[in-house]
C-alpha cells in the first residue's frame, strides 16, 4: 500500500514529509541513496527516484507521532522543479544544453565606429576626427587642445602643449573674416 507524502525545498536541502501515524510502532525503515529514497513500514511502501543527486552522508530522517520527516542534503543549490524523475525529465537531463554565443562587444563597437567614419561627411566628419584625436591622445595633448580652443574663441586648435603652454593663444579667424567679441 502506498503512503501519502509532501515535500518542500530550500537552497541546501529537500524535506519529504511522509504522513504515517505511529511510524515507530509500524517498524518503519528508510534507505537513502544518492538518487533514490525508499521507506517501508508494516504494509506501507514509498519509493522515489530523485530528480537530482543528493549527499547521503548529510541526509537524515526522524519519526514523529503523525509523520516521518526525511531531510535530504542537495549536492548543488539547484532549484528542483519536481521531486521525482519522470521519463520526460530524464530525457531532458540527457539532452545537451544549447550553447550560448558570446559576443565580442569591443569588436562590434569598433565596426560601428568604422561605419560611422565612412558615412560621415562635411562638418560631421571633421568633428568626428577631432573627437578621435582627443580621445586617443595623452593628457598633455588634451590640455593643449582645450587651452588653444578656449583662449582663441574657437579659431585655433593646437595639439602642441610646449607652444600653447608658454603664452596666451591669439585669436586667428579664417581668411576673409574678422573676429568680433559678443559683448561689443
Amino acid at each position: 500500500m502506498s503512503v501519502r507524502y509532501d515535500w518542500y525545498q530550500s537552497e541546501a536541502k529537500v524535506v519529504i514529509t511522509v504522513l504515517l501515524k505511529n511510524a515507530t510502532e509500524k517498524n518503519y525503515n528508510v534507505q537513502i541513496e544518492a538518487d533514490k529514497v525508499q521507506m517501508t513500514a508494516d504494509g506501507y511502501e514509498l519509493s522515489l527516484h530523485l530528480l537530482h543527486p543528493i549527499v547521503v552522508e548529510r541526509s537524515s530522517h526522524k519519526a514523529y507521532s503523525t509523520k516521518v520527516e526525511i531531510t535530504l542534503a542537495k549536492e548543488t543549490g539547484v532549484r528542483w522543479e519536481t521531486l521525482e524523475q519522470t521519463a520526460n525529465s530524464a530525457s531532458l537531463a540527457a539532452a545537451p544544453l544549447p550553447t550560448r554565443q558570446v559576443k565580442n562587444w569591443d569588436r562590434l563597437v569598433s565596426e560601428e565606429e568604422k561605419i560611422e567614419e565612412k558615412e560621415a561627411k562635411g562638418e560631421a566628419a571633421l568633428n568626428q576626427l577631432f573627437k578621435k584625436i582627443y580621445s586617443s591622445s595623452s593628457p598633455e595633448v588634451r590640455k593643449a587642445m582645450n587651452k588653444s580652443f578656449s583662449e582663441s574663441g574657437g579659431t585655433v586648435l593646437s595639439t602642441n602643449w610646449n607652444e600653447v603652454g608658454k603664452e596666451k593663444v591669439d585669436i586667428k579667424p579664417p581668411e576673409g573674416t574678422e573676429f568680433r567679441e559678443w559683448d561689443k
Side-chain angles (χ1 to χ4, degrees):
M1 178 190 287
S2 65
V3 64
R4 286 185 37 206
Y5 68 93
D6 198 6
W7 71 285
Y8 65 91
Q9 65 181 313
S10 68
E11 190 174 320
K13 65 183 179 178
V14 173
V15 179
I16 304 169
T17 305
V18 181
L19 301 176
L20 182 65
K21 289 185 179 180
N22 302 321
T24 50
E25 293 174 12
K26 293 182 178 165
N27 301 317
Y28 86 98
N29 181 29
V30 176
Q31 294 176 343
I32 301 173
E33 298 175 23
D35 60 346
K36 186 166 58 170
V37 173
Q38 288 184 316
M39 187 188 122
T40 56
D42 294 340
Y44 297 98
E45 186 175 330
L46 176 67
S47 181
L48 303 170
H49 293 278
L50 302 173
L51 182 64
H52 296 287
I54 59 160
V55 181
V56 177
E57 296 79 27
R58 293 192 340 237
S59 300
S60 63
H61 59 87
K62 185 172 182 182
Y64 296 95
S65 62
T66 59
K67 65 183 179 180
V68 175
E69 197 169 86
I70 305 169
T71 305
L72 308 173
K74 289 183 178 180
E75 195 172 88
T76 58
V78 177
R79 180 172 165 15
W80 294 18
E81 297 302 320
T82 62
L83 178 63
E84 291 185 87
Q85 269 187 9
T86 60
N88 191 21
S89 67
S91 66
L92 286 175
L97 295 174
T99 57
R100 199 172 119 193
Q101 280 188 327
V102 177
K103 291 193 178 199
N104 184 347
W105 293 106
D106 294 330
R107 191 185 83 225
L108 288 173
V109 168
S110 65
E111 287 174 2
E112 188 67 29
E113 287 173 349
K114 287 177 185 175
I115 291 170
E116 287 176 3
E117 280 180 26
K118 289 177 185 175
E119 292 176 354
K121 293 181 179 148
E123 193 174 319
L126 189 61
N127 280 335
Q128 197 166 12
L129 173 68
F130 289 141
K131 284 181 183 179
K132 186 176 180 182
I133 292 170
Y134 188 84
S135 66
S136 63
S137 63
S138 68
E140 192 173 87
V141 171
R142 289 181 183 186
K143 203 167 32 171
M145 289 176 78
N146 287 332
K147 184 175 190 269
S148 64
F149 189 80
S150 61
E151 287 183 354
S152 70
T155 61
V156 176
L157 185 62
S158 175
T159 57
N160 186 353
W161 177 249
N162 294 333
E163 182 183 295
V164 173
K166 291 179 184 173
E167 54 192 42
K168 187 175 188 286
V169 178
D170 294 329
I171 298 170
K172 296 178 186 171
E175 286 185 32
T177 62
E178 67 179 74
F179 183 79
R180 292 187 186 171
E181 292 199 25
W182 179 257
D183 296 351
K184 296 178 183 177

